[in-house]
Amino acid sequence: MAKQTMSRSPDDPVNARLGEVLEAFMNRVAHPRGRALAFLTQSSVTVDQAILMHHALTRPGSTPTSLAATMNLSLPSISQMLERLARLGMLRRIEDPADRRRKTIAVTPKARRFLRELQAVRSQEFSAGAAALSPAAQQRLVAALERALTELDADPSGGEPR
């Protein structure tokens, strides 16, 4: 018999507590050093722009409209970010040969390099923030997070409440 995963509503007390604990943990291990934010500032890229590039990278063929829907932002906001990232050489707009009005967004090698470097900076930041945990607590945390990521990867809803 297959194991069935029950999705919890955001209003569920256990899910709400999980959200509170994750938020507190992330604040403790990430933000105090500010290395990731400094990296973004030095690169002249905002957090929203980095998220936009990540979505464009992981969803090839994205359009401005699909990115706006994914990020829950207005199309004018996305268009402004795309323009700025194109000027920085991070993204390209590609015209659809069948419909010249339709544009898809492509991530450039410069953006791929930027996202790899940002990931490395963030990973180092998280590792440094969690270094005060005992080795046993670190092992348990890694195991729990790996299990959670496996479940999220298997979730066809993409993590959205059912």
Side-chain angles (χ1 to χ4, degrees), residues 30-31 33-45 47 114 118 121-122 125:
H31 302 302
R33 285 157 210 75
R35 292 182 191 131
L37 293 175
F39 177 80
L40 289 169
T41 300
Q42 291 165 356
S43 303
S44 299
V45 173
V47 172
F114 167 84
L118 177 59
V121 168
R122 292 181 71 208
E125 185 102 32

Side-chain angles (χ1 to χ4, degrees), residues 5-75:
T5 305
M6 296 279 297
S7 179
R8 295 183 180 270
S9 110
D11 298 328
D12 180 285
V14 172
N15 194 307
R17 182 66 184 139
L18 175 62
E20 292 168 2
V21 170
L22 283 172
E23 195 263 340
F25 181 78
M26 292 305 297
N27 284 339
R28 293 279 297 274
V29 301
H31 302 302
R33 285 157 210 75
R35 292 182 191 131
L37 293 175
F39 177 80
L40 289 169
T41 300
Q42 291 165 356
S43 303
S44 299
V45 173
T46 67
V47 172
D48 284 346
Q49 290 168 347
I51 293 168
L52 177 82
M53 284 190 284
H54 175 76
H55 285 307
L57 176 68
T58 58
R59 294 174 174 88
S62 292
T63 64
T65 302
S66 68
L67 290 167
T70 297
M71 293 182 66
N72 198 27
L73 294 172
S74 70
L75 187 55

Side-chain angles (χ1 to χ4, degrees), residues 60-161:
S62 292
T63 64
T65 302
S66 68
L67 290 167
T70 297
M71 293 182 66
N72 198 27
L73 294 172
S74 70
L75 187 55
S77 293
I78 292 294
S79 294
Q80 191 174 46
M81 282 193 272
L82 291 172
E83 180 61 34
R84 172 97 170 94
L85 291 168
R87 281 196 314 267
L88 289 172
M90 301 281 203
L91 297 177
R92 290 182 302 123
R93 291 183 187 92
I94 300 171
E95 194 174 274
D96 186 321
D99 181 355
R100 294 179 53 169
R101 296 170 298 171
R102 180 177 156 82
K103 307 279 190 273
T104 57
I105 306 305
V107 177
T108 65
K110 181 178 180 180
R112 288 177 189 277
R113 195 169 38 257
F114 167 84
L115 290 169
R116 276 193 310 272
E117 290 173 13
L118 177 59
Q119 181 182 18
V121 168
R122 292 181 71 208
S123 181
Q124 290 167 0
E125 185 102 32
F126 297 147
S127 293
L133 294 173
S134 70
Q138 288 181 22
Q139 288 176 340
R140 287 192 306 273
L141 182 58
V142 167
L145 291 173
E146 285 175 341
R147 278 193 310 276
L149 287 169
T150 298
E151 284 188 30
L152 289 172
D153 287 344
D155 182 2
S157 74
E160 291 294 319

